[in-house]
């Protein structure tokens, strides 16, 4: 007559992310910021070391180049905020298995994007268009933190995957 029901077994609470993984996740977002701000300054007309002629002919600024440069900066920063989701205990929009697969994919993409930007930044064309050594130094300081992104993102993803495998929420 009366069916006895038992409450669903509670899922084990995931172990909080280690402090080093939290710091690495925040560092990823901060490492991408200088190059993004440099590109936005370039799109805004702030002198970043390129002559007006180079901006017009090579980068199409003003023009469609502005949308490209700002869009690249926004997309890169949004991708760099993703690691914060992996170390957050408050908000998990996806199941751990799905988020883990997404984390590994995003890690690979972020690593490739960071490496691609470094390669593009250090190509002969980029450097030959710079008009002064001071501009080159500022440019190098803006793009140098990208070298850390692959290592930091790999650390965050590895930590997330390890934490959720231990508790049986990811296979």
């Amino acid at each position: 007559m009366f069916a006895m029901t038992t409450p669903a077994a509670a899922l084990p609470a995931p172990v909080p992310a280690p402090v080093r993984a939290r710091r690495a996740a925040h560092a990823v977002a901060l490492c991408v910021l200088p190059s993004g701000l440099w590109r936005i300054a370039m799109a805004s007309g702030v002198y970043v070391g390129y002559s007006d002629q180079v901006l017009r002919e090579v980068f199409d600024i003003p023009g469609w180049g502005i949308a490209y440069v700002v869009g690249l900066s926004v997309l890169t920063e949004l991708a760099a905020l993703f690691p914060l989701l992996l170390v957050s205990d408050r908000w998990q929009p996806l199941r751990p298995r799905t988020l883990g697969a997404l984390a590994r994919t995003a890690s690979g993409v972020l690593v490739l994007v960071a490496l691609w930007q470094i390669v593009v930044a250090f190509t002969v064309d980029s450097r030959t268009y710079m008009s002064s050594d001071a501009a080159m130094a500022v440019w190098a300081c803006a793009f140098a933190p990208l070298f850390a992104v692959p290592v930091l993102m790999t650390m965050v993803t590895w930590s997330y995957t390890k934490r959720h495998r231990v508790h049986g929420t990811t296979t």
Side-chain angles (χ1 to χ4, degrees):
M1 203 170 188
F2 291 100
M4 191 137 222
T5 59
T6 58
L11 291 173
V15 174
V19 173
R20 68 183 177 279
R22 289 180 186 274
R23 288 182 181 157
H26 286 83
V28 169
L30 292 175
C31 285
V32 173
L33 191 60
S35 62
L37 292 174
W38 185 88
R39 283 190 300 270
I40 288 173
M42 181 173 84
S44 300
V46 174
Y47 177 72
V48 293
Y50 295 127
S51 68
D52 289 339
Q53 180 183 1
V54 168
L55 288 175
R56 273 191 315 276
E57 294 175 6
V58 176
F59 297 106
D60 198 21
I61 295 175
W64 285 103
I66 293 174
Y68 171 74
V69 169
V70 171
L72 179 63
S73 296
V74 169
L75 287 174
T76 304
E77 192 61 42
L78 285 174
L81 292 174
F82 179 76
L84 294 174
L85 183 63
L86 299 177
V87 297
S88 173
D89 298 328
R90 296 185 196 144
W91 186 63
Q92 295 289 329
L94 302 170
R95 292 182 179 164
R97 171 180 269 165
T98 306
L99 194 57
L102 188 60
R104 288 186 292 278
T105 303
S107 178
V109 168
L110 259 176
V111 167
L112 290 175
V113 167
L115 292 174
W116 168 70
Q117 286 190 0
I118 291 168
V119 168
V120 168
F122 285 100
T123 60
V124 175
D125 286 343
S126 294
R127 291 187 298 183
T128 57
Y129 293 133
M130 284 285 172
S131 60
S132 71
D133 289 338
M136 182 70 95
V138 170
W139 166 83
C141 288
F143 281 87
L146 291 177
F147 281 113
V149 171
V151 173
L152 294 169
M153 188 61 199
T154 302
M155 191 164 83
V156 172
T157 304
W158 181 79
S159 171
Y160 177 84
T161 304
K162 182 179 174 188
R163 284 185 304 127
H164 287 280
R165 277 193 181 147
V166 167
H167 295 286
T169 55
T170 302
T171 55

